[in-house]
Structures are given as C-alpha cells and as structure tokens.
Amino acid sequence: MAILYALVARGSVVLAEFSTASTNASAIARQILEKIPGNNDTNVSYSQDRYIFHVKRTDGLTVLCMADDTAGRRIPFVFLEDIHQRFVRTYGRAVLSAHAYAMNDEFARVLSQQMEYYSNDPNADRMNRLKGEMSQVRNVMIENIDKVLDRGDRLELLVDKTTNMQGNTFRFRKQARRFRSTVWWRNVKLTVMLIVLLLVIVYVVLAFVCHGPMLPSCLK
C-alpha cells in the first residue's frame, strides 16, 4: 500500500492512529511531533530510506502519515486534508481537551478505510487530478528525517516486508479477479455478437434463396 501509517494528534498527544504494516513508524512519528518547530500551521515532509512522513498541522491539530516515496506528495496531502476535515467535523471542540487515544477506537476505522481508498482506488487519483494540485503542496519542503531528529535519538525505520508482501498479494489477487471478470464479460459480449452475426447471415442466405431463382423450391 502507498500509505502505511497515519495518526491524528493535538501537539504531541496522539488522539487516533492506524497502521497497515508492522513498523516502528509510531515511535518515529512521536519524535517528529515533539521536534516540529513552532506552533504555526505547516505542511512538511521528512524522508527516511524509501519512506516519507508527511505532516499537516492546522489550528493546533496535526495529521501525519507515512507513505512510500512512489506515492509522491499530492495523494498523501490530499489524504491528510481529508482526514483533518473528517476529524474536525466528527469531534468539533472536543479535540481541544481530549485525552490520548480518546478517539482511537472509533476513528482508527476511518483512518483504515481512507488509507485503503487513497492507496488502492484509482478513482482517488482521478478525482484529485480534476481538482488540480493542492496549493499547500506546492510549498512543501522535503527534508531528511535526520534534520528534525537528534542524531542520538534517531530511530531506523523498520518495515515488516512480509506484511507488505501480504498486502501486495491481496492487491494482486483483487486485480486478477477484476481482470478475469473483465475478460469473461468481453468473451460473453463477443460470443453474443458472433451468434447475432451468424443469425443475420443465415437470415440473409435464406432470404436470397427464397426470393431468388430457387423460389419454387422454397414454396413447396
């Protein structure tokens, strides 16, 4: 999956999070939350190996996700904007005083659903292309995670490749079923067309025979 981990936090207090793979992304995300400078709204990305942590902070609420570098920046930040809007619309002012993980039981399911959608559904990218590039993404700076984390506190990102392989296998099977279904319907349509064409040819031949020189034989 393109997006493997996501969280919503107020300052350094995590209110909800979800991960699709066995990683230590949660520990790295907490360090990022503690090290992000200032209190102003910001959109920033931090890279480590082939994974990038994308961060969107608005009005004191921080939404963060970890994605493959192949996902680019547009899709992850559209995902973060979507999650921010859903979270604020669902909980309102409760986010200002909520305890750690107060919304996790309920909102983790939303994170899971939206991560699946933005990672695998081609419609997500088509819709976002129609909307155009998000203005805030144009100003995103990508920095190495070493710049935000102290050298002594730095954690290596560990991703369970088995989990990723299982996810890839699931997507491959899903795509294979979709492909087989498409091929089956195509064959059905082709068969119907051939039958119709054959019936038309038979009709034309019979009409020609009955109305041609052999008319008396057709009337017997």
Side-chain angles (χ1 to χ4, degrees):
M1 296 179 70
I3 302 177
L4 299 136
Y5 170 81
L7 67 74
V8 182
R10 184 189 68 250
S12 59
V13 179
V14 178
L15 303 177
E17 70 177 339
F18 183 80
S19 178
T20 63
S22 299
T23 73
N24 62 336
S26 179
I28 294 178
R30 281 163 174 74
Q31 291 197 35
I32 292 177
L33 292 177
E34 294 174 356
K35 301 292 184 177
I36 294 177
N39 297 313
N40 297 328
D41 293 355
T42 184
N43 297 287
V44 64
S45 298
Y46 301 100
S47 66
Q48 187 180 69
D49 300 326
R50 67 183 187 88
Y51 299 98
I52 300 180
F53 289 81
H54 303 279
V55 184
K56 175 181 175 60
R57 184 168 60 192
T58 306
D59 298 330
L61 191 67
T62 302
V63 188
L64 176 151
C65 72
M66 184 188 80
D68 285 324
D69 55 5
T70 56
R73 287 180 291 168
R74 181 168 50 84
I75 290 292
F77 273 98
V78 172
F79 164 78
L80 295 180
E81 176 65 22
D82 182 17
I83 293 300
H84 179 270
Q85 293 180 3
R86 289 172 182 268
F87 197 82
V88 172
R89 187 168 58 247
T90 302
Y91 300 108
R93 297 183 62 82
V95 302
L96 301 176
S97 57
H99 299 295
Y101 291 98
M103 290 82 172
N104 194 66
D105 289 344
E106 180 181 14
F107 203 75
R109 291 193 295 271
V110 178
L111 290 174
S112 174
Q113 293 169 359
Q114 296 309 107
M115 288 166 67
E116 170 71 20
Y117 174 70
Y118 283 98
S119 296
N120 298 320
D121 196 321
N123 290 324
D125 195 26
R126 292 194 191 104
M127 291 175 62
N128 295 327
R129 287 185 182 278
L130 292 175
K131 294 177 182 177
E133 292 284 343
M134 293 177 59
S135 59
Q136 60 264 42
V137 175
R138 296 170 186 162
N139 300 323
V140 171
M141 298 292 293
I142 296 184
E143 301 179 7
N144 191 280
I145 204 168
D146 284 342
K147 294 183 179 181
V148 71
L149 303 183
D150 293 336
R151 291 280 180 170
D153 296 333
R154 182 175 183 268
L155 296 176
E156 291 290 339
L157 179 62
L158 304 175
V159 179
D160 188 344
K161 295 182 179 180
T162 301
T163 304
N164 284 340
M165 290 176 61
Q166 291 174 347
N168 292 334
T169 301
F170 172 78
R171 290 198 301 277
F172 175 77
R173 289 175 179 174
K174 184 177 180 180
Q175 293 172 355
R177 287 196 298 269
R178 186 180 303 170
F179 176 75
R180 286 197 298 268
S181 177
T182 301
V183 172
W184 185 82
W185 276 111
R186 188 178 300 168
N187 290 337
V188 169
K189 293 178 181 177
L190 181 60
T191 302
V192 171
M193 291 175 61
L194 289 175
I195 293 174
V196 171
L197 180 61
L198 181 60
L199 291 175
V200 171
I201 293 174
V202 171
Y203 174 80
V204 171
V205 171
L206 289 177
F208 175 79
V209 171
C210 291
H211 293 84
M214 299 181 65
L215 181 58
S217 62
C218 292
L219 296 176
K220 291 181 180 180

